[in-house]
Amino acid sequence: MTAVVELAAIGRSFSGPPAVTAVQGVDLTIEKGEYLSIIGPSGSGKSTLLHLLGLLDRPSSGRYLLDGIDVSGLTDRRRTRLRGERIGFVFQAFHLLGGRTVLQNVELSMLYRPIRPRERIARARATLDRVGMGHRLEADPRTLSGGETQRVAIARALAAQPSLLLADEPTGNLDSGNAGSVLDLFDELHADGVTLVVITHNTEVSHWARRRVRIVDGTLTEVTPCGGAGAD
């Protein structure tokens, strides 16, 4: 298999005061098409690890290869471009723009990429169809249910065809029914070959992944295979 992510001895420290080591000695490989969950309590370092994986922050030590590219020494401009090209984000709070249609929200994710407007629209439509939201193209996101809103957010993250999809507590603002619907969608995306990483504190959510990594005090302490679909 081909590795999308390779972390070797990754660490992240903050000078403070007081000085804090948020992540230390992390080794992690994520293969293309893998569905991985990273689980840990508040303060465990999982948010810091998310920021490092998403090129939102730089490690203090270690090496990070994304699609075989060593990102450690890249300029901020090159990192920003690489993030836009290869990483999609799904957040707990959705972050869709009210006053713009569902279709426009998904199109915006491709605005700064060299994609012609007609192709942007076609991709946005196709991706919304893929997540079951093709019937709400002209809706304002403020009129959608929580589950529908998260599906649009997932479509926005997928439209640019990223190498890696990072989901940060993607069910945190959803009731159990809508949460299950989103997790079913992640199963479908995994079956389609999307490389998916879900960061969560929720044990039940973490078990939907095919592999689970536990982070405690900034260190990966356990890797547990999962059966998927909430299996133990």
Side-chain angles (χ1 to χ4, degrees):
M1 297 181 69
T2 303
V4 174
V5 168
E6 296 176 85
L7 304 182
I10 286 289
R12 182 65 172 103
S13 299
F14 300 92
S15 57
V20 174
T21 299
V23 169
Q24 53 186 332
V26 169
D27 297 313
L28 180 65
T29 298
I30 303 171
E31 304 288 353
K32 184 176 181 180
E34 189 169 8
Y35 183 178
L36 173 76
S37 65
I38 299 173
I39 184 170
S42 177
S44 63
K46 65 182 186 297
S47 294
T48 299
L49 186 56
L50 167 71
H51 290 163
L52 294 172
L53 287 168
L55 302 183
L56 299 169
D57 194 11
R58 292 178 180 269
S60 305
S61 57
R63 189 181 188 209
Y64 176 11
L65 300 182
L66 176 64
D67 282 339
I69 301 169
D70 189 343
V71 302
S72 305
L74 297 181
T75 64
D76 288 342
R77 183 174 182 178
R78 178 68 177 120
R79 286 167 60 89
T80 298
R81 180 177 177 183
L82 195 64
R83 182 170 62 246
E85 292 174 347
R86 301 185 186 238
I87 301 175
F89 293 92
V90 178
F91 298 103
Q92 177 177 344
F94 314 133
H95 298 308
L96 298 181
L97 297 177
R100 292 184 180 267
T101 68
V102 162
L103 183 64
Q104 288 170 337
N105 266 273
V106 177
E107 281 185 75
L108 285 171
S109 69
M110 298 173 279
L111 190 61
Y112 297 105
R113 296 196 61 188
I115 302 172
R116 293 181 178 181
R118 182 175 296 179
E119 183 180 352
R120 285 204 306 268
I121 294 172
R123 280 200 195 184
R125 285 178 176 272
T127 309
L128 284 162
D129 281 338
R130 185 181 186 185
V131 302
M133 290 299 295
H135 63 298
R136 301 301 306 271
L137 300 181
E138 300 304 319
D140 187 310
R142 292 172 295 189
T143 69
L144 303 179
S145 70
E148 288 176 327
T149 304
Q150 192 61 295
R151 282 177 175 266
V152 174
I154 292 168
R156 179 186 57 192
L158 289 172
Q161 300 173 353
S163 300
L164 177 66
L165 183 64
L166 294 175
D168 183 18
E169 300 286 4
T171 64
N173 282 339
L174 303 178
D175 60 35
S176 59
N178 280 315
S181 177
V182 167
L183 292 171
D184 283 338
L185 175 58
F186 283 165
D187 269 349
E188 295 170 14
L189 296 176
H190 169 63
D192 288 343
V194 173
T195 306
L196 174 61
V197 177
V198 174
I199 292 88
T200 183
H201 71 280
N202 187 311
T203 301
E204 183 177 349
V205 169
S206 77
H207 276 294
W208 282 69
R210 301 307 183 268
R211 182 161 70 105
R212 184 171 51 149
V213 175
R214 184 178 300 277
I215 185 167
V216 176
D217 295 333
T219 303
L220 296 186
T221 60
E222 179 183 347
V223 178
T224 307
C226 297
D232 287 330

